[in-house]
Each structure stands twice: as C-alpha cells, then as structure tokens.
Amino acid sequence: MADHNLLGQEGERQAMLYLMHKGYTLHDHNWRSGHLEIDIVAEWHGEIVFVEVKTRSNETFASAAEAVTMHKKRNLIAAARAYLAYHHLTDQPYSYDIITVVGTAPPFQITHLCHAYSEEKVLYSSNK
C-alpha cells in the first residue's frame, strides 16, 4: 500500500481516538453507500455527526481543510442522507464536521471543525 494511503488510515485512526477522548460515541467508520463514503459517523449529545477526515504530512501549499471541496461536501451530504435513511434516523438531528490531521508521525496536529458547513449553504451554492 502506498505511503499516503497508510498515512490516511493513520489519520482516521487518530481522529477516532480524538473523538472518543472528547466523549463522542462512534457508530461507523468508512460507511459506504454505492460510490459514496463517510469517514466517521459519531454521536455527540444525541446529535449524529458526520466527520470527514483529511490527513496531510504538512500544510505547506494549502490547509488540509481546503481539500474538502464543494463537490466533496455534496457527496458527503448525499452519503449522510443515505445513512440516515438506512438506519431509520431521519428525525435525528445531525451535523457535518471536518477533522484535519497533520504530520508524518505522532504526535499529530489535530484540528476539529465542528459544524463545519450546512446543507443549505452547500446545496444552494453556485460553486461547483
């Protein structure tokens, strides 16, 4: 497996550990519906949280959070809606977070962007 794939897997593992340490309940990891994927599904005080994890060895050229494009956000929203329907949770409150993991080995720099974006702003944005 390529080094960047291994770093990505480690980043997701670090993000899950971070969330558990903060008191989140983890529900799923790498949940798929067709070609759509959600990195982490967690719960925080009754709210389902869909988490996109971006891991980078450094942020020399751009921040890791900038890698979550409008297209990626739209795919995450579609995946989240599929998850909610599949698990009969359509009445449950939910949100979208981004966790960035930066570094090549522990200790990583972890940044958690809670409620990073809303469906309304993403779905009705003219940006592709």
Side-chain angles (χ1 to χ4, degrees), residues 11-21 26 28-29 40:
E12 287 184 6
R13 190 178 82 74
Q14 292 293 322
M16 288 187 291
L17 291 171
Y18 170 88
L19 289 171
M20 288 187 299
H21 177 75
L26 299 183
D28 273 299
H29 173 238
I40 300 171

Side-chain angles (χ1 to χ4, degrees), residues 45-107:
H45 297 288
E47 180 177 76
I48 300 296
V49 182
F50 300 103
V51 183
E52 175 66 12
V53 179
K54 285 298 174 192
T55 306
R56 297 289 183 265
S57 58
N58 64 63
E59 293 183 302
T60 302
F61 299 107
S63 74
E66 290 177 40
V68 185
T69 63
M70 193 64 69
H71 177 75
K72 179 67 174 170
K73 289 174 184 175
R74 287 185 177 126
N75 281 345
L76 290 166
I77 289 168
R81 289 179 172 182
Y83 182 92
L84 293 168
Y86 181 82
H87 291 284
H88 308 288
L89 298 170
T90 53
D91 292 333
Q92 184 111 7
Y94 60 94
S95 64
Y96 301 94
D97 290 7
I98 298 171
I99 292 181
T100 63
V101 181
V102 179
T104 56

